[in-house]
Amino acid sequence: MYINRHLETQILEASQYYPVVMVCGQRQVGKSTMLNHLREKERRYVTLDDMNARRLAEQDAGLFFETYGAPLLIDEFQRVPSLLLEMKRIVDEAALKGEETGGMYWLTGSQKFAMMKDVSESLAGRVAVFDLSGLSTAEVEDRPAQLFHPSLDSLRERMHDCEQKDIHQIYERIFRGGMPRLITTGMDRERFYMDYVNTYIERDIKDLAQVGKLNAFYDFLVFMAARTSQELRYEEIASAVGVSSPTAKAWVTILERSGVIYILRPYFTNITSRLVKTPKFYFMDTGLAAYLCRWPTAETLENGAMDGAFFETYVVTEIIKSYYNAGKRPNLYFYRDVDKREVDLLVVEGENLYPIEIKKSKSPAHPDKNFKVLDRLHLKVQPGIVICMSDELVPYNRQTWLMPAAAL
């Protein structure tokens, strides 16, 4: 069964204007499946996981492109990034001849960090790059694509299509995660994530990041999963895993660029020196994080010590997915000052600031208690929202609204 992806529209539109369209994202999120679903009959497919195709690409890029032609879908493109120079030559030559170049090449890659430097140098102005994450709740429920925006008009529109869910259903979704294969088949969850982690570490990490200590990297993954939604402290990671701080920093970069985690930057300005500058991070797939933390069931996760951290991770990543699916970069931050006053999320649009709090409860007490501190930033603070287990979109007071997590 194929679940329609919200990014499809963006891909097809970009293909009309860009010679190269690249889809990056975490392994197993459905990049190849989506592009194979979209590709025209005449567009050929080749994966650089295939030894013969990879050998040809490495040894004779010109012959590789003569063999497969265009339009072409190249899967796992990061395995032979040297193809980019020949691709640029072919695209430029076609453009000089006045030929139509839109959508000549579609590329996928699960290692963004192995690709982007070469892409920016070789294909500047010729490539549209998109991020794809696991399935969003809106995609699973077959709701229309909608970029998350905290304005009341947008939230009211979002409420029309959402299904009511109780806390147990939310945690079932958190526990299961968003990997398409897990959602569309009856595959055993434990088996899927065990294979996923083995593949990620033994293949992607070993091949592309030159991580020498694979056992230590696994410990690092588990440590990071257990701290999803917390501040990113490299010295703490290094001490716990037994590696140097530079190694911890390099490994965090690997997770970020391969789409496993999202790093949320704090909002700060030169107006005040009292703002914290340490970022936070979130696992993009809550199912993977729950597997690494060894939570056996959704029920134990819901009632365990990490229930709030996983609920916050779910909310933040659903919002991030809505940005990715619209082909946009998330314009998200969080606020924390030295007095430990925190606002979970800030959406910043020009001079407008939208504060967002995330609470697991149905009727949170004083959820807006820190919103007032945002006045010191000298921006136009808009009505805030509290994403919680409320059944409907209702005002908490004149400046704050409660929004159901089910509407994400």
Side-chain angles (χ1 to χ4, degrees):
M1 180 181 81
Y2 178 77
I3 294 178
N4 291 319
R5 306 305 301 264
H6 289 169
L7 191 58
E8 291 174 13
T9 305
Q10 309 296 330
I11 298 291
L12 294 175
E13 187 174 325
S15 275
Q16 297 177 43
Y17 304 105
Y18 288 90
V20 182
V21 175
M22 178 181 294
V23 180
C24 303
Q26 189 175 354
R27 184 168 284 282
Q28 293 287 326
V29 295
K31 303 179 297 291
S32 309
T33 303
M34 177 185 69
L35 291 183
N36 269 304
H37 177 76
L38 291 178
R39 70 185 171 107
E40 319 89 323
K41 285 183 180 178
E42 65 271 19
R43 184 180 297 275
R44 295 187 67 183
Y45 169 85
V46 60
T47 174
L48 296 182
D49 276 344
D50 180 280
M51 287 293 293
N52 289 327
R54 187 157 79 241
R55 183 177 53 80
L56 179 59
E58 289 170 340
Q59 293 181 0
D60 193 334
L63 183 56
F64 174 87
F65 284 110
E66 285 176 32
T67 301
Y68 292 102
L72 176 65
L73 166 54
I74 307 176
D75 209 358
E76 296 299 337
F77 181 78
Q78 78 283 346
R79 295 197 170 276
V80 192
S82 57
L83 277 177
L84 287 168
L85 283 174
E86 182 64 16
M87 188 182 297
K88 176 181 181 294
R89 187 193 66 76
I90 294 169
V91 166
D92 288 352
E93 195 174 272
L96 282 171
K97 291 178 182 174
E99 296 173 4
E100 177 55 54
T101 60
M104 287 178 70
Y105 300 108
W106 288 358
L107 316 177
T108 80
S110 50
Q111 257 67 28
K112 196 192 310 186
F113 62 92
M115 304 163 71
M116 295 309 291
K117 181 172 179 289
D118 296 309
V119 170
S120 58
E121 289 175 358
S122 305
L123 290 173
R126 302 169 183 84
V127 60
V129 181
F130 295 96
D131 288 296
L132 184 69
S133 55
L135 288 162
S136 67
T137 298
E139 287 173 318
V140 173
E141 295 175 359
D142 196 24
R143 286 191 260 140
Q146 187 181 4
L147 175 69
F148 177 86
H149 192 279
S151 68
L152 285 175
D153 287 344
S154 178
L155 295 180
R156 287 188 182 106
E157 187 180 337
R158 182 175 281 273
M159 290 299 298
H160 291 318
D161 301 303
C162 77
E163 302 174 7
Q164 277 206 354
K165 288 186 283 291
D166 62 28
I167 193 72
H168 311 305
Q169 290 170 306
I170 292 282
Y171 274 88
E172 281 291 346
R173 177 91 180 85
I174 290 171
F175 183 73
R176 192 74 177 167
M179 297 297 187
R181 197 165 160 212
L182 264 184
I183 290 173
T184 59
T185 70
M187 186 174 184
D188 178 71
R189 175 188 172 278
E190 191 85 2
R191 164 59 60 184
F192 174 86
Y193 282 118
M194 184 175 72
D195 290 344
Y196 178 93
V197 170
N198 288 339
T199 302
Y200 180 65
I201 291 178
E202 293 175 9
R203 182 177 174 183
D204 295 349
I205 298 305
K206 188 177 178 182
D207 289 352
L208 295 167
Q210 291 81 51
V211 173
K213 306 172 183 175
L214 294 182
N215 288 338
F217 191 86
Y218 179 80
D219 294 341
F220 160 74
L221 260 183
V222 173
F223 181 87
M224 293 292 284
R227 280 153 185 79
T228 182
S229 85
Q230 294 187 21
E231 286 189 351
L232 183 56
R233 300 189 181 280
Y234 297 110
E235 296 79 9
E236 184 185 344
I237 297 166
S239 174
V241 181
V243 296
S244 68
S245 280
T247 297
K249 198 163 190 175
W251 287 3
V252 166
T253 300
I254 289 166
L255 292 189
E256 181 186 20
R257 292 185 179 172
S258 56
V260 174
I261 64 171
Y262 179 86
I263 295 180
L264 182 69
R265 268 70 186 181
Y267 187 81
F268 62 87
T269 67
N270 295 328
I271 295 170
T272 174
S273 59
R274 296 179 60 77
L275 301 184
V276 168
K277 298 182 181 179
T278 307
K280 293 167 69 174
F281 71 93
Y282 297 88
F283 257 66
M284 283 300 295
D285 187 73
T286 52
L288 174 61
Y291 167 79
L292 288 166
C293 292
R294 289 286 179 258
W295 291 103
T297 64
E299 185 181 5
T300 55
L301 177 58
E302 179 189 339
N303 297 300
M306 294 186 68
D307 61 331
F310 271 84
F311 186 78
E312 182 177 330
T313 299
Y314 168 74
V315 169
V316 172
T317 54
E318 285 295 315
I319 292 172
I320 292 166
K321 288 174 187 179
S322 83
Y323 276 86
Y324 285 172
N325 291 338
K328 297 181 182 297
R329 284 188 175 185
N331 195 21
L332 303 171
Y333 303 88
F334 75 97
Y335 174 95
R336 179 178 287 160
D337 60 29
V338 293
D339 301 317
K340 296 187 177 177
R341 288 177 294 193
E342 182 176 348
V343 178
D344 292 328
L345 273 181
L346 298 176
V347 177
V348 183
E349 288 187 345
E351 292 187 346
N352 293 318
L353 195 67
Y354 296 86
I356 300 171
E357 271 295 301
I358 300 165
K359 302 291 182 186
K360 179 190 171 188
S361 63
K362 198 163 191 171
S363 303
H366 310 297
D368 61 340
K369 65 180 185 293
N370 292 331
F371 287 178
K372 205 68 186 152
V373 77
L374 298 174
D375 291 341
R376 68 168 58 168
L377 298 177
H378 301 314
L379 293 171
K380 296 176 183 174
V381 180
Q382 302 299 315
I385 63 168
V386 180
I387 301 175
C388 59
M389 287 309 303
S390 167
D391 290 328
E392 53 185 335
L393 181 68
V394 291
Y396 177 77
N397 56 37
R398 288 186 179 275
Q399 283 299 309
T400 307
W401 288 66
L402 303 183
M403 173 197 160
L408 287 169

